[in-house]
């Protein structure tokens, strides 16, 4: 096995991705000389959408295991191995990991722990006797699982190169590709444990990212989510920047807007370098007018203590500029309540910032001291005050009605998900407003126009607008085709499709105009017997109908096809003239036949 020395217990060094807590149960069974592993959905926690890269790495690990012949299990008790994917952003995430590890050990199941926790804190007591795989070694997760199933304890943590982007992947949502553009960051926030795990910035090349975009678009992906610890920092280590990358990606998106791009989280310092260029990209028809820009606090003194490398004024510049330059722009932000040293005045400034902008999305969290970070050594704000401030900020945020007054508006949405209620589908507008619609699951992966019918605090409800134009034949279209329409329409037999069924296609039984009457609106003839109206005329004459008038057939039951005739409310001049002509002809025939007899008699 390549580099097996790296997998010896006790070896390795930090950094890596930041991941959410997840777990996968593996149940190996030999089928066609491959192991069949099933997914343990009961232990999978939904990744937090505000944590960069939370889903992408899990999808890559699941994809590699599946490609090797494993399936993912539904039953944790039947699984022979658990794989837990961890996040070190907050203490509750690590606590949940600890609980799962205890449960797994109690069940005497082999265990592999991946993600930020083992990468950044490899000496944790909870990880003793457990196999671990580093976040930049996810391309070797199969090796770790194989060795663990053999009874070996494996630790693979050494940082080498970035994992390839074309690894097998099992997407949580088939329509959404989560695309990591870099790992690590350039910041040094005093509260952040993730830096210990992920290390310094490492960016993928533009060529590799563009190639990945081409491939996933060809696979039918409808949304591409750019993922990163700090999107704005992309390329600083390889001599390029985010606008260059975004323009290259946008150039690969289909012009029919069937695939949309969502730009990931970016901190203020780096986006300030390219603000107008970013705004230009956000205006592109294939890019959601949405950006996640964490502010963390409305107080400059707190931002300084956090080592965030920007001021509230710079954050406001970012927001004001994007709102000014990008139509329908929506911005989400993050707030940490109760950071060490935060005073009531500091917190009041945060409340004022949120009130000023009324952001539709604010991720509010209480401060959690992470071991080994500078903030963990700072004087803490009493926990009761932290909780009080968190509740107050939440109350202020929930008092906003960001979508008020848009009822009746028509919006284009891209539908990619099923709502948690299992009834509605979830779509997003160009400005990334969430719209819930009642529709068939066949609408997933499509875009459509909707009319906003009602507004909620977190999302809006809409009705899909059905374009009836294709189902109607315009008057001018019919007029152009009148000359080629036959004057006789034959009835349908019991075992064939009716040509007079009124389908959207031009009907072969379209009414024929006589005497210049060609004001026909649409083809709506139906085949069958009219039991309500008696026919007042026979022949091959098909005339315009009015109101609810129907057509019928003569001589049904005969093997020979009969002629369809129509009923009318009123006979016109041309009709009387035709009947008169028929009478004259009949009289002439009678006269010709009787004339010899008359002469003989005379």
């Amino acid at each position: 096995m390549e580099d097996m020395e790296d997998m010896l217990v006790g070896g390795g060094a930090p950094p890596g991705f930041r991941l959410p807590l997840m777990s996968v149960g593996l149940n190996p069974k030999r089928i066609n000389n491959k192991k069949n592993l099933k997914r343990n959905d009961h232990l999978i926690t939904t990744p937090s959408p505000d944590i960069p890269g939370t889903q992408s790495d899990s999808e890559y690990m699941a994809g590699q295991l599946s490609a090797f012949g494993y399936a993912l299990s539904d039953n944790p008790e039947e699984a022979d191995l658990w794989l837990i994917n961890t996040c070190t952003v907050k203490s509750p995430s690590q606590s949940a990991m600890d609980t799962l590890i205890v449960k797994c050990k109690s069940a005497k199941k082999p265990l592999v722990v991946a993600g930020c926790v083992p990468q950044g804190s490899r000496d944790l007591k909870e990880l003793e006797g457990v196999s671990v795989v580093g976040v930049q070694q996810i391309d070797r997760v199969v090796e770790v699982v194989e060795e663990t199933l053999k009874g070996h304890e494996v630790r693979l943590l050494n940082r080498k190169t970035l994992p390839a982007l074309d690894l097998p992947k099992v997407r949580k949502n088939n329509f959404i590709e989560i695309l990591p553009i870099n790992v690590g960051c350039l910041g040094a926030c005093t509260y952040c444990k993730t830096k210990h795990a992920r290390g310094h910035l490492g960016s993928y090349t533009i060529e590799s990212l563009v190639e990945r975009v081409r491939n996933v678009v060809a696979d039918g992906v409808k949304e591409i989510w750019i993922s990163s610890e700090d999107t704005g920092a992309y390329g600083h280590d390889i001599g390029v920047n985010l606008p260059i990358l975004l323009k290259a990606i946008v150039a690969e998106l289909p012009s029919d807007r069937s695939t949309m791009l969502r730009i990931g989280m970016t901190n203020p310092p780096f986006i300030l370098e390219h603000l107008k260029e970013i705004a230009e990209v956000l205006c592109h028809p294939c890019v959601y007018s949405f950006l996640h820009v964490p502010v963390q606090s409305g107080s400059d003194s707190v931002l300084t203590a956090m080592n965030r490398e920007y001021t509230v004024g710079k954050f406001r510049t970012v927001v004001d500029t994007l709102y000014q330059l990008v139509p329908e722009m929506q911005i989400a932000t993050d707030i940490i309540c109760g950071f060490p040293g935060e005073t009531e005045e500091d917190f009041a400034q945060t409340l004022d910032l949120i009130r000023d902008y009324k952001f539709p999305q604010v991720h509010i969290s209480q401060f959690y001291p992470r071991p080994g970070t500078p903030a963990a050594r700072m004087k803490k704000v009493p926990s009761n005050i932290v909780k009080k401030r968190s509740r107050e900020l939440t109350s202020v945020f929930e008092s906003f009605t960001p979508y008020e007054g848009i009822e009746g508006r028509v919006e284009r949405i891209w539908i990619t998900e099923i709502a948690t209620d299992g009834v509605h589908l979830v779509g997003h507008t160009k400005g990334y407003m969430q719209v819930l619609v009642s529709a068939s699951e066949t609408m997933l992966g499509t875009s459509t126009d909707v009319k906003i019918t009602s507004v909620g605090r977190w999302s809006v409800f809409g009705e899909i607008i059905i374009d009836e134009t294709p189902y109607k034949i315009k008057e001018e279209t019919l007029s152009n085709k009148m000359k080629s329409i036959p004057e006789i329409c034959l009835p349908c037999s019991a075992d064939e499709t009716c040509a007079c069924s009124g389908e959207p296609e031009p009907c072969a039984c379209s009414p024929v105009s006589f005497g210049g009457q060609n004001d026909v609106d649409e083809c709506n003839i139906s085949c069958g017997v009219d039991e309500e109206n008696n026919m007042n005329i026979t022949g091959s004459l098909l005339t315009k109908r009015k109101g609810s008038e129907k057509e019928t057939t003569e001589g049904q039951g005969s093997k020979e096809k009969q002629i369809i005739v129509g009923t009318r409310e009123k006979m016109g001049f041309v009709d009387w003239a035709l009947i008169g002509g028929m009478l004259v002809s009949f009289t002439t025939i009678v006269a010709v036949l009787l004339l010899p007899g008359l002469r003989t008699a005379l």
Side-chain angles (χ1 to χ4, degrees), residues 24 82 92 317 444:
V24 179
W82 291 5
T317 297
L444 288 169

Short mmCIF file of all heavy atoms in Angstrom, two decimals, residues 24 82 92 317 444:
data_model
loop_
_atom_site.label_atom_id
_atom_site.label_comp_id
_atom_site.label_asym_id
_atom_site.label_seq_id
_atom_site.Cartn_x
_atom_site.Cartn_y
_atom_site.Cartn_z
N VAL A 24 -21.63 7.43 8.70
CA VAL A 24 -22.11 6.47 7.71
C VAL A 24 -21.84 5.08 8.24
O VAL A 24 -20.73 4.78 8.66
CB VAL A 24 -21.39 6.66 6.36
CG1 VAL A 24 -21.86 5.64 5.35
CG2 VAL A 24 -21.63 8.07 5.84
N TRP A 82 -18.68 2.19 11.21
CA TRP A 82 -19.23 3.54 11.14
C TRP A 82 -18.14 4.52 10.70
O TRP A 82 -16.98 4.40 11.12
CB TRP A 82 -19.78 4.00 12.49
CG TRP A 82 -21.02 3.27 12.93
CD1 TRP A 82 -21.63 2.22 12.30
CD2 TRP A 82 -21.78 3.54 14.11
NE1 TRP A 82 -22.72 1.81 12.99
CE2 TRP A 82 -22.85 2.60 14.12
CE3 TRP A 82 -21.67 4.45 15.14
CZ2 TRP A 82 -23.80 2.57 15.14
CZ3 TRP A 82 -22.62 4.42 16.15
CH2 TRP A 82 -23.68 3.50 16.15
N PRO A 92 -20.74 22.34 20.44
CA PRO A 92 -21.81 21.35 20.33
C PRO A 92 -21.54 20.30 19.26
O PRO A 92 -21.91 19.14 19.42
CB PRO A 92 -23.03 22.20 19.98
CG PRO A 92 -22.74 23.53 20.57
CD PRO A 92 -21.25 23.72 20.39
N THR A 317 -19.56 49.23 3.33
CA THR A 317 -19.20 49.56 1.95
C THR A 317 -19.51 48.38 1.03
O THR A 317 -20.04 48.55 -0.08
CB THR A 317 -17.71 49.92 1.86
OG1 THR A 317 -17.45 51.09 2.63
CG2 THR A 317 -17.30 50.16 0.41
N LEU A 444 -38.51 18.93 -10.52
CA LEU A 444 -37.17 19.08 -9.98
C LEU A 444 -36.16 19.19 -11.11
O LEU A 444 -36.20 18.45 -12.09
CB LEU A 444 -36.82 17.89 -9.09
CG LEU A 444 -37.52 17.82 -7.73
CD1 LEU A 444 -37.28 16.46 -7.08
CD2 LEU A 444 -37.05 18.94 -6.81
#
